[in-house]
Amino acid sequence: LIEARKVLVQEIGGTLATVAKDVKLQLEFNPRYVRAYRLIGYENRLLADEDFDDDTKDAGDIGAGHSVTALYEVIPVGSRSTVAVNEPAPLRYQEERVAAEGVGNGELLSLAIRYKLPNENTSRLMRHVVSDRVAAPSTDLTFASAVAGFGMLLRQSEYVSSWSFDAVIELAESSLGTDDDGYRRGFVEMVRRAAALSSVSADQESEEDASQALNP
């Protein structure tokens, strides 16, 4: 019943009314501040660089009231991170131009958005620059981070490090907000169930290992 109300009442407008079609996003991180980055999720939505300007390439549609959140893991320049980074070959002319013109000072990244109006076939371009100013994340972004961390745990991601179900629960509970519809509390309960199932699975594996050790 809760899911039916969510889809057929609260989100029905976005399903019926498309405000933009073939929406594409392209980010360029400033090498002055970002040593490496990784997109978390969206592996099935990645496009080749040259497809961004190609209006014949299909992309996603955005409905009324919809929003999209993309999370990146970023390693700043000068970070003591131990994560192995594949350093790309230097781009001779780009680096000289940036150094000569001072391009990008104070800019963390540049975001380009291409989209078509529902009744058009030619895309429009929007650009937005994000400064390198650091600010506390919003409640929504913090909760989205918890959801992404949960997904990495379920997929047994190689990047999960010391992240745990308990850490997901703690982060999600700290960013519940008003949660009028109870969706976020529902997510926390789902994580608790996953943690319990994971614990049972780990106990069973331990028992099997012990049994094999006793019965070679």
Side-chain angles (χ1 to χ4, degrees):
L1 181 61
I2 293 175
E3 187 67 16
R5 184 181 298 110
K6 175 177 178 288
V7 174
L8 299 177
V9 177
Q10 296 173 335
E11 298 180 352
I12 191 67
T15 303
L16 298 178
T18 299
V19 296
K21 65 180 183 179
D22 290 338
V23 180
K24 305 173 186 176
L25 309 179
Q26 187 177 62
L27 271 71
E28 180 184 359
F29 285 93
N30 188 344
R32 287 179 179 270
Y33 303 105
V34 178
R35 176 176 172 232
Y37 63 89
R38 180 178 68 87
L39 177 63
I40 301 176
Y42 285 102
E43 289 87 350
N44 62 336
R45 295 299 184 97
L46 294 177
L47 293 171
D49 291 343
E50 59 270 19
D51 290 343
F52 180 74
D53 295 319
D54 188 348
D55 283 351
T56 65
K57 298 294 183 180
D58 293 332
D61 296 340
I62 299 295
H66 281 183
S67 62
V68 176
T69 302
L71 299 177
Y72 284 82
E73 179 180 12
V74 175
I75 300 179
V77 170
S79 170
R80 296 181 179 180
S81 171
T82 58
V83 175
V85 175
N86 295 324
E87 300 289 354
L91 301 176
R92 171 181 172 81
Y93 298 107
Q94 181 181 7
E95 287 191 350
E96 287 187 356
R97 180 176 64 83
V98 170
E101 300 178 7
V103 175
N105 286 335
E107 298 177 1
L108 179 66
L109 61 89
S110 174
L111 169 65
I113 304 174
R114 279 200 176 276
Y115 69 97
K116 300 174 186 174
L117 293 179
N119 59 345
E120 295 182 359
N121 294 317
T122 301
S123 67
R124 304 185 180 199
L125 177 64
M126 296 172 55
R127 292 190 182 277
H128 180 71
V129 173
V130 178
S131 73
D132 66 334
R133 179 176 56 86
V134 178
S138 66
T139 299
D140 290 343
L141 184 58
T142 301
F143 187 82
S145 301
V147 175
F150 182 52
M152 292 172 64
L153 285 170
L154 294 181
R155 298 183 61 179
Q156 299 181 336
S157 170
E158 62 181 302
Y159 302 103
V160 76
S161 185
S162 59
W163 194 250
S164 66
F165 290 113
D166 288 340
V168 171
I169 293 171
E170 181 179 355
L171 189 62
E173 287 185 331
S174 70
S175 54
L176 289 176
T178 55
D179 194 28
D180 294 331
D181 300 305
Y183 297 146
R184 297 191 179 188
R185 289 180 177 82
F187 169 76
V188 172
E189 180 58 29
M190 182 170 60
V191 178
R192 293 189 192 279
R193 294 182 182 183
L197 290 172
S198 176
S199 177
V200 170
S201 177
D203 291 342
Q204 290 176 344
E205 290 180 0
S206 298
E207 291 176 0
E208 290 176 359
D209 291 342
S211 176
Q212 291 175 0
L214 294 174
N215 300 283

